[in-house]
Amino acid sequence: GPCDMSMETAEFERPINDTVGQRIFPLHLIPFEHYMLIDDRPNYPATFIVQFEFAGSLERKPFKDSIDDAIDRHPLLRAVIRRAKSNRDCWVDSGNVRPMVHFGGVDEPIAFPGAGFEHIDLCNEAGLRIWVRHNQRKAVVTAQFHHAVCDGVGAYQVLGDVLWGYATRTGGDEIESAPPLPPSRLRARGRACYDPAEFRTDQGRFQSEWKFAAELLFRRTAAIRPPTSKRTHRTLPGSFPGICSFEFDKNEHRRLRLSAQQRAQTVNDLLLEKLFVTLNQWRKRNRGWLSGGKLCVMMPLDLREPEAEKMPACNVVSYALIRRGGKLLEQPDKLRQGLREETVWLKHQRHRTHFMNLVVASQSYPRLLKAALRRNHCLATAVLSNTGDPTKQFLINLPRENGMVRCGNLLLTDISGVPPMRINTRATISIFTYRRVLKICLRCDPRLFNLEETNELLGHYVDQITSALD
């Protein structure tokens, strides 16, 4: 039903005088945004995390002003969802509601507004929260984005704009101008995600995806589970964001690239293969940690075309669901070859995946989609997002120092983050290559795993990747 019209007051309110934004709103939700809104749950929000670490003494006012300017360049970050045109859910201007921005000392824990913990209610608040923790020597910026608002690439464009604004306010370097991002380009975000013609038969009807839909929603998928003996002492999540990470240094990263080439793989293929092996061995080693069914890894697919005009932060993304089971998991050569062939197909056919076809077609059956997604069904065993170097997604080139981005008086020393965690998808992984190292970030369901157990799973994955170096 329509969203509640009440509004929460965000910290650091700032009046909006944006005639351009008023012209583009209301905006109908595109199918992927609608999917993310429907699949959002209070305990398992459709939000992802990005964390930047800096060396230097962060100045609050310039940084806050830079956040405000970046938000003004990306209208969906200050929009909420209401019933509007054609009585459908739409993005509308939120008035004076701005993303929550909170500053604190470097050791101050992250706290959430209200009692909703990680959940972001897009009917009443903007789809971004930012916590800045700093002292005279370092700063950590943690950003939580709702995936209905934008994808990972969009998030890095926003944060890149923040760093550009801060650099122009605090640095003496020559910084290029920020490129214009006309809000009107957001009207093309749906067409950038898919071409309806790709999903229709010669008779103009949607191609049937019932077989894929049945497999997606009713076939058993293995879910990682904590040991039965330890379930009784689980409590609500503790410290946020609870990400465990491991880095392969520059030399090890280079050797992994060479190893993948020798196997006729990309590094992403190698990481995907080793994740399947890790999950399969984990199941055998710890009976009861994984339920029955095939293993399934969900991978985001960026749908942006290189020659396309840049637009404000939004979703131009789809998902691939890669399933493997049975004896195939015990045959390394066949597993490797099959995954390589599937990822090559996905690269060339990413605009025509079964998943996107189903999401687009489901717009005709919104109640059916909502009922199906509300089942406590394991859609994927784990999520694997190979982000690469996020700074390559910045819309403005910033100066570098020893391979790290310099923004005014701050040096960007590290980047972390993880994709959203859907119910019963209990491991979510991001891969980063900033500073030429290969960094693996893992978050397990904080309601079922503590940090020690998350590190244990990460250690097994790292061991499998390390085996490729031998």
Side-chain angles (χ1 to χ4, degrees):
C3 289
D4 184 355
M5 296 298 289
S6 63
M7 286 273 196
E8 291 183 5
T9 301
E11 186 174 355
F12 290 108
E13 274 194 1
R14 182 184 184 188
I16 298 175
N17 181 14
D18 181 12
T19 56
V20 175
Q22 291 169 1
R23 287 202 302 270
I24 65 163
F25 292 124
L27 279 173
H28 283 135
L29 271 64
I30 63 173
F32 187 85
E33 294 166 354
H34 186 247
Y35 160 72
M36 277 297 171
L37 180 65
I38 290 180
D39 205 31
D40 190 37
R41 299 167 184 247
N43 289 338
Y44 292 92
T47 62
F48 60 93
I49 304 159
V50 179
Q51 196 167 65
F52 282 6
E53 296 186 23
F54 301 91
S57 179
L58 181 143
E59 299 177 33
R60 289 192 180 188
K61 188 177 187 307
F63 202 83
K64 178 59 175 61
D65 290 343
S66 301
I67 293 174
D68 285 332
D69 287 349
I71 290 167
D72 285 339
R73 277 169 52 82
H74 301 274
L76 291 183
L77 294 176
R78 48 183 169 76
V80 293
I81 295 177
R82 299 282 166 77
R83 288 295 176 98
K85 289 192 296 186
S86 305
N87 198 32
R88 290 162 52 191
D89 285 333
C90 295
W91 295 108
V92 301
D93 198 303
S94 63
N96 285 337
V97 173
R98 304 283 289 187
M100 189 209 81
V101 182
H102 187 272
F103 289 83
V106 72
D107 296 321
E108 183 177 337
I110 288 174
F112 296 97
F117 294 102
E118 295 180 36
H119 187 249
I120 295 178
D121 177 9
L122 287 178
C123 298
N124 294 301
E125 57 183 311
L128 169 63
R129 295 168 178 165
I130 296 177
W131 296 268
V132 183
R133 300 292 181 260
H134 67 109
N135 58 21
Q136 294 301 311
R137 298 179 303 278
K138 63 178 286 190
V140 179
V141 177
T142 304
Q144 181 193 19
F145 289 84
H146 198 294
H147 212 327
V149 171
C150 71
D151 55 22
V153 172
Y156 296 124
Q157 291 172 345
V158 172
L159 294 173
D161 282 1
V162 173
L163 300 192
W164 170 81
Y166 187 79
T168 60
R169 287 175 167 89
T170 65
D173 297 312
E174 287 288 331
I175 307 291
E176 63 184 72
S177 299
L181 293 175
S184 58
R185 290 180 186 168
L186 286 173
R187 296 193 183 101
R189 72 197 191 287
R191 293 191 296 276
C193 281
Y194 63 90
D195 178 359
E198 298 279 2
F199 300 103
R200 295 185 184 274
T201 65
D202 293 338
Q203 291 75 35
R205 298 178 180 176
F206 270 106
Q207 301 171 22
S208 174
E209 288 291 349
W210 296 116
K211 180 180 178 181
F212 176 74
E215 178 180 279
L216 189 69
L217 298 172
F218 300 108
R219 180 178 287 185
R220 293 182 69 193
T221 298
I224 305 173
R225 291 192 286 191
T228 304
S229 61
K230 294 185 179 181
R231 282 187 207 164
T232 55
H233 66 74
R234 286 295 176 269
T235 59
L236 286 174
S239 59
F240 176 87
I243 298 172
C244 296
S245 61
F246 182 89
E247 287 187 2
F248 291 94
D249 63 26
K250 296 177 184 178
N251 180 54
E252 292 167 329
H253 186 195
R254 181 184 60 82
R255 289 168 59 198
L256 279 172
R257 291 197 302 270
L258 292 174
S259 177
Q261 290 173 8
Q262 292 169 357
R263 299 161 184 249
Q265 293 178 301
T266 64
V267 173
N268 191 65
D269 291 342
L270 186 151
L271 296 170
L272 179 61
E273 173 202 343
K274 295 305 182 183
L275 180 56
F276 272 110
V277 173
T278 300
L279 294 173
N280 188 48
Q281 292 190 354
W282 190 264
R283 171 161 54 183
K284 292 189 298 182
R285 186 182 299 110
N286 303 281
R287 292 188 180 276
W289 278 71
L290 276 162
S291 63
K294 286 188 176 182
L295 300 175
C296 178
V297 174
M298 176 182 279
M299 288 201 322
L301 300 173
D302 183 17
L303 301 180
R304 289 168 176 80
E305 298 292 350
E307 67 278 4
E309 284 188 308
K310 302 294 184 183
M311 64 178 69
C314 60
N315 281 294
V316 189
V317 68
S318 179
Y319 283 134
L321 293 165
I322 302 175
R323 301 176 66 89
R324 291 295 185 274
K327 295 181 180 179
L328 190 61
L329 290 166
E330 307 291 341
Q331 303 176 59
D333 290 341
K334 288 187 176 180
L335 176 63
R336 187 175 304 130
Q337 179 181 349
L339 291 174
R340 181 173 63 240
E341 292 173 353
E342 187 164 352
T343 55
V344 168
W345 184 91
L346 287 168
K347 180 179 180 181
H348 294 289
Q349 301 291 329
R350 65 190 191 280
H351 288 275
R352 304 179 57 178
T353 60
H354 292 299
F355 180 85
M356 183 57 81
N357 192 359
L358 183 62
V359 168
V360 173
S362 68
Q363 300 301 289
S364 302
Y365 310 97
R367 292 183 180 178
L368 180 62
L369 176 66
K370 188 171 184 177
L373 291 175
R374 286 303 168 189
R375 297 172 63 244
N376 290 338
H377 178 69
C378 178
L379 195 63
T381 312
V383 180
L384 179 65
S385 175
N386 192 342
T387 306
D389 182 351
T391 65
K392 300 256 179 92
Q393 306 296 344
F394 291 176
L395 297 170
I396 308 103
N397 291 319
L398 293 170
R400 291 189 180 247
E401 186 177 310
N402 297 323
M404 293 177 282
V405 168
R406 164 69 66 183
C407 43
N409 67 335
L410 296 177
L411 196 63
L412 179 58
T413 56
D414 201 9
I415 301 175
S416 304
V418 285
M421 182 174 294
R422 190 181 186 275
I423 187 169
N424 285 324
T425 298
R426 295 165 181 166
T428 179
I429 302 166
S430 269
I431 310 293
F432 297 94
T433 56
Y434 181 60
R435 298 178 288 113
R436 293 170 57 195
V437 305
L438 184 77
K439 182 175 183 178
I440 302 168
C441 294
L442 168 67
R443 188 188 193 207
C444 288
D445 187 339
R447 289 171 173 77
L448 298 171
F449 291 79
N450 58 33
L451 288 179
E452 180 183 355
E453 292 157 350
T454 300
N455 263 317
E456 184 180 354
L457 178 58
L458 176 63
H460 286 292
Y461 187 34
V462 168
D463 289 345
Q464 282 299 323
I465 298 171
T466 304
S467 69
L469 296 174
D470 300 330

